[in-house]
């Protein structure tokens, strides 16, 4: 059950070979037995999940109609609000926050009869690339517990890789679904900006944040994405026309123009990652794709541009946590200003503080034009690079991250090194495009490697078509981590 795909599980549920209670119970048992090694979950909703499972089993047994996700357990990154469950963002600031409302995506999942199993660990406020800055402690990679799971949706990727849940929700501001998916050997998709409502997602950088899905395979990601995508008036950037997603039927790649981005193969790319990606590209070619090289000439400015814009937006979004309106309140203070200062000093961790300070500085009078405005101009150049590339090709492929999973603690003291692990993913967010990571191999010492796919806005179907075709002809996504044993 812990290695089955979403499609297999749905078949077993609908044929009656498996009840939803059995499935939920077996996930809970596995979490209880193994999550002390992984730390993927920060909250487990066992009682309500079992009750929901019983209701769906009863409806199915009575021959009543059930939703698209009927009986499937789903776990949720802890920056997405689920009514009645904590939403901590991995921060002391929100450690006691239980939202009174559910995110749009959660309403959609519940309406489709999906079962909410619990909340997943992450980098504090989704700021990070290793899931090490959470107040609950780091997520460990199921393939090797001395390694990070990537971040910030490290809990989501690890939970799927460890077989705790078949489906998870993550969020991706600069790569936070795709990079952990690649580190943990699972599949993850970040949809086009505006495709999924951000209502109920605790904001980090609003012009970049997007909720997406993780599963063992692309068909699983597609199913959950289909449920959560769609217009929502409560998010002013929500698109009225959600993308058409393909049915998980294999389609030919004959004649599909696939671009390999020259800049993604520059210095700093691990040679084992480069060769696994090159093998995957030649397999796409063998399947009929027309492979050519393309250039995204402004790629080298992407990290600087992203970290300016993301920090500026974060400094504004996180201003609300003052101990009065929201968040942790200090107990000892002298006056109102001191209460704000103490609450924020105690509530936020070092990385979040660094970003608030960077963003506040870059937005201040006198520096705004030199930093923030310049970054916005460069963001436009980066968007134009993609427009130009997509005149020549239909999809882009390359590495998801410049290396496979790194060791816990390895990059914690060097923020710039940590930021560089987003070098292949962040341009997608700056341009608002859909991106995906699928497993495409392993390093010699057994660390998963991810292949990134990118497409023009609203062309999720194209990404999924390539991913499903690749997964029908490979078994990387079927491998299971050896170190997680019940
Ligand atoms: N690692 C990037 C950051 O720290 C991306 C995070 C994300 O996508 N949420 O900002």
């Amino acid at each position: 059950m812990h290695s089955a795909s979403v499609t297999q599980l749905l078949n077993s549920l609908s044929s009656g070979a498996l009840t939803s209670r059995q499935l939920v119970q077996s996930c809970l048992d596995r979490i209880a037995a193994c999550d002390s090694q992984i730390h993927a979950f920060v909250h487990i909703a066992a009682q309500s999940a079992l009750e929901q499972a019983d209701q769906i089993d009863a409806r199915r047994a009575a021959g009543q109609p059930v939703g698209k996700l009927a009986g499937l357990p789903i776990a949720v990154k802890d920056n997405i609000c689920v009514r009645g469950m904590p939403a901590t963002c991995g921060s002391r600031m929100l450690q006691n926050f239980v939202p009174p409302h559910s995110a749009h995506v959660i309403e959609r999942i519940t309406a489709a009869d999906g079962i909410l199993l619990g909340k997943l660990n992450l980098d504090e406020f989704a700021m990070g690339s290793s899931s090490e800055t959470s107040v609950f402690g780091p997520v460990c990679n199921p393939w090797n517990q001395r390694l990070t799971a990537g971040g910030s949706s490290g809990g989501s990727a690890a939970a799927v890789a460890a077989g705790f849940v078949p489906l998870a929700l993550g969020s991706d501001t600069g790569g936070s679904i795709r990079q952990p998916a690649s580190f943990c050997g699972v599949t993850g998709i970040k949809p086009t900006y505006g495709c999924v409502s951000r209502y109920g997602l605790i904001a980090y950088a609003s012009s970049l944040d997007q909720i997406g899905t993780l599963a063992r395979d692309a068909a699983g990601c597609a199913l959950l994405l289909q449920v959560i995508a769609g217009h929502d008036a409560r998010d002013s950037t929500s698109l009225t026309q959600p993308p058409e997603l393909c049915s998980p039927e294999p389609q030919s790649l004959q004649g599909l123009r696939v671009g390999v981005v020259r800049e993604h193969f520059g210095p700093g790319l691990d040679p084992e990652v480069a060769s696994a990606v090159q093998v995957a590209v030649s397999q796409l070619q063998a399947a009929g794709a027309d492979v050519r090289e393309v250039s995204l000439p402004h790629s080298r400015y992407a990290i600087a541009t992203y970290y300016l814009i993301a920090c500026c937006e974060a400094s504004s979004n996180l201003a609300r946590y003052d101990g009065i309106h929201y968040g942790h309140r200090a107990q000892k203070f002298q006056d109102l200003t001191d209460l704000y200062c103490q609450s924020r000093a105690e509530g936020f961790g070092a990385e979040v503080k660094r970003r608030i300070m960077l963003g506040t500085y870059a937005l201040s009078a006198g520096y705004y034009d030199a930093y923030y405005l310049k970054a916005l101009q460069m963001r436009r150049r980066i968007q134009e690079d993609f427009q130009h590339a997509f005149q020549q090709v239909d999809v882009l492929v390359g590495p998801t991250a410049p290396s496979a999973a790194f060791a816990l603690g390895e990059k914690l003291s060097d923020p710039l090194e940590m930021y560089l692990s987003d070098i292949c993913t962040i341009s997608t967010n700056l341009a608002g495009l859909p991106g995906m990571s699928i497993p495409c191999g392993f390093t010699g010492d057994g660390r998963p490697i991810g292949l990134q796919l990118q497409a023009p806005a609203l062309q999720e179907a194209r990404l999924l078509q390539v991913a499903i075709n690749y997964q029908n002809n490979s078994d990387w996504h079927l491998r299971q981590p050896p170190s997680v044993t019940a």
Side-chain angles (χ1 to χ4, degrees), residues 165-177:
V165 273
L167 285 170
L169 287 180
S171 68
D172 191 312
T173 305
S176 276
I177 288 175

Side-chain angles (χ1 to χ4, degrees), residues 131-216:
S131 302
E132 293 176 283
T133 64
S134 165
V135 70
F136 300 104
V139 181
C140 303
N141 193 311
W143 289 88
N144 174 341
Q145 284 127 47
R146 287 190 302 276
L147 303 176
T148 74
S152 62
S153 313
S156 309
V160 172
F164 295 155
V165 273
L167 285 170
L169 287 180
S171 68
D172 191 312
T173 305
S176 276
I177 288 175
R178 291 160 287 157
Q179 185 255 26
S182 90
F183 280 20
C184 293
V186 300
T187 306
I189 184 164
K190 167 227 162 316
T192 306
Y193 185 78
C195 162
V196 176
S197 168
R198 289 180 293 110
Y199 178 78
L201 168 69
I202 297 176
Y204 159 21
S206 307
S207 78
L208 302 157
D209 294 341
Q210 197 59 192
I211 297 173
T213 62
L214 297 99
R216 225 166 254 301

Side-chain angles (χ1 to χ4, degrees), residues 210-251:
Q210 197 59 192
I211 297 173
T213 62
L214 297 99
R216 225 166 254 301
D217 62 16
C221 287
L223 178 76
L224 186 55
L225 182 56
Q226 214 155 31
V227 169
I228 63 171
H231 181 66
D232 173 25
R234 295 168 297 185
D235 171 0
S236 61
T237 61
S238 168
L239 298 170
T240 41
Q241 282 280 312
E244 282 295 320
L245 301 182
C246 64
S247 62
E249 303 303 324
Q251 288 177 41

Side-chain angles (χ1 to χ4, degrees), residues 115-134:
I115 295 177
L116 300 164
L117 202 68
K119 305 298 292 288
L120 296 164
N121 209 352
L122 71 169
D123 277 299
E124 186 178 3
F125 280 100
M127 298 174 188
S129 313
S130 64
S131 302
E132 293 176 283
T133 64
S134 165

